[in-house]
């Protein structure tokens, strides 16, 4: 049974965010893409806040970490550096450079990226956040809070953050040409296993 979580065909969070921000302009930066390890660590802390039943506040702090107060408590995810380096960051960089916000581009898919990197467990998923105006830290906080707000209707990003079958996550944050991209790749095994 395939456990991969695909976003529904309706307007996804990432697409909605792109539509909201398309009119904003930011001075372009160099043609390459910069990586933001501090923002990646922050993204994992925020996912784990929500995952363990806490609630991420507007300033990026966590209320009720590990308490199960705001939602059912799930075990915190471990950072999977190999997935960050081989899947999440390269995808964040690619979609930032391409001015794209989503999960497939030129025939690729989440499953194909995991398989190409040697991760064969089909229990995987991906959340993508995009901004044309915010820097890396602000993108991480704001997009996480938007995904967290899906709790009210059990949206796809919320379900992935709370999925008890996920054990780890690889995270990539990239900025190119004024566009910031956040990629959280969830995986059904802990670091050190493929």
């Amino acid at each position: 049974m395939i456990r991969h979580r695909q976003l529904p065909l309706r307007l996804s969070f990432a697409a909605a965010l792109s539509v909201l921000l398309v009119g904003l302009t930011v001075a372009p930066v160099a043609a390459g893409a910069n990586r933001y390890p501090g923002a990646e660590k922050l993204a994992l802390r925020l996912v784990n806040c929500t995952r363990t039943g806490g609630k991420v506040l507007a300033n990026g702090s966590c209320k009720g970490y590990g308490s199960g107060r705001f939602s059912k408590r799930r075990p915190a995810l471990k950072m999977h550096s190999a997935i960050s380096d081989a899947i999440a960051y390269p995808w964040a960089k690619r979609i930032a450079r391409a001015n794209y916000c989503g999960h497939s581009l030129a025939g690729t898919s989440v499953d194909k990226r995991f398989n190409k990197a040697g991760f064969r467990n089909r229990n995987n998923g991906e959340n993508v956040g995009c901004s044309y105006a915010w820097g890396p830290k602000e993108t991480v906080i704001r997009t996480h809070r938007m995904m967290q707000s899906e709790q009210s209707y059990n949206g796809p990003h919320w379900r992935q953050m709370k999925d008890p079958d996920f054990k780890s996550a690889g995270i990539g944050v990239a900025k190119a040409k004024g566009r910031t991209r956040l990629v959280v790749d969830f995986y059904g095994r802990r670091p050190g296993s493929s």
Side-chain angles (χ1 to χ4, degrees):
M1 178 166 125
I2 295 175
R3 295 290 317 240
H4 173 70
R5 277 77 167 174
Q6 287 287 338
L7 290 177
L9 293 177
R10 66 183 165 84
L11 186 64
S12 71
F13 162 77
L17 185 58
S18 297
V19 170
L20 286 172
L21 298 175
V22 75
L24 301 174
T25 58
V26 176
V29 294
N34 295 320
R35 187 169 188 179
Y36 295 87
E40 294 172 1
K41 290 176 186 171
L42 173 63
L44 182 65
R45 283 196 307 270
L46 300 186
V47 166
N48 280 332
C49 172
T50 298
R51 188 167 168 87
T52 64
K55 182 178 183 179
V56 174
L57 305 178
N59 66 0
S61 65
C62 178
K63 182 176 183 179
Y65 185 97
S67 68
R69 178 176 173 192
F70 298 98
S71 63
K72 186 172 182 173
R73 187 185 188 289
R74 302 280 189 222
L77 298 174
K78 300 286 186 189
M79 177 66 88
H80 203 305
S81 298
I83 290 174
S84 296
D85 294 343
I87 305 169
Y89 174 68
W91 186 246
K93 179 173 66 172
R94 182 174 178 194
I95 63 176
R97 287 179 176 168
N99 193 20
Y100 175 75
C101 188
H103 305 279
S104 60
L105 183 65
T108 189
S109 70
V110 178
D111 283 335
K112 285 181 182 178
R113 290 192 296 278
F114 270 87
N115 285 332
K116 184 177 179 182
F119 294 93
R120 305 287 186 238
N121 186 317
R122 299 288 289 179
N123 190 13
N124 63 64
E126 181 173 83
N127 283 349
V128 172
C130 303
S131 174
Y132 297 90
W134 306 320
K137 181 180 178 182
E138 193 73 11
T139 297
V140 167
I141 294 169
R142 287 182 181 232
T143 58
H144 180 85
R145 284 179 43 85
M146 288 177 188
M147 292 177 191
Q148 177 181 260
S149 73
E150 291 181 4
Q151 178 181 9
S152 64
Y153 61 94
N154 200 30
H157 301 96
W158 170 261
R159 288 193 313 269
Q160 294 203 124
M161 287 192 292
K162 298 297 285 187
D163 190 319
D165 293 333
F166 292 140
K167 310 297 183 209
S168 61
I171 300 176
V173 177
K175 186 173 182 179
K177 300 179 182 178
R179 299 182 290 260
T180 305
R181 300 295 185 261
L182 162 66
V183 175
V184 180
D185 282 318
F186 300 96
Y187 196 56
R189 294 187 179 166
R190 295 215 177 259
S193 62
S194 55

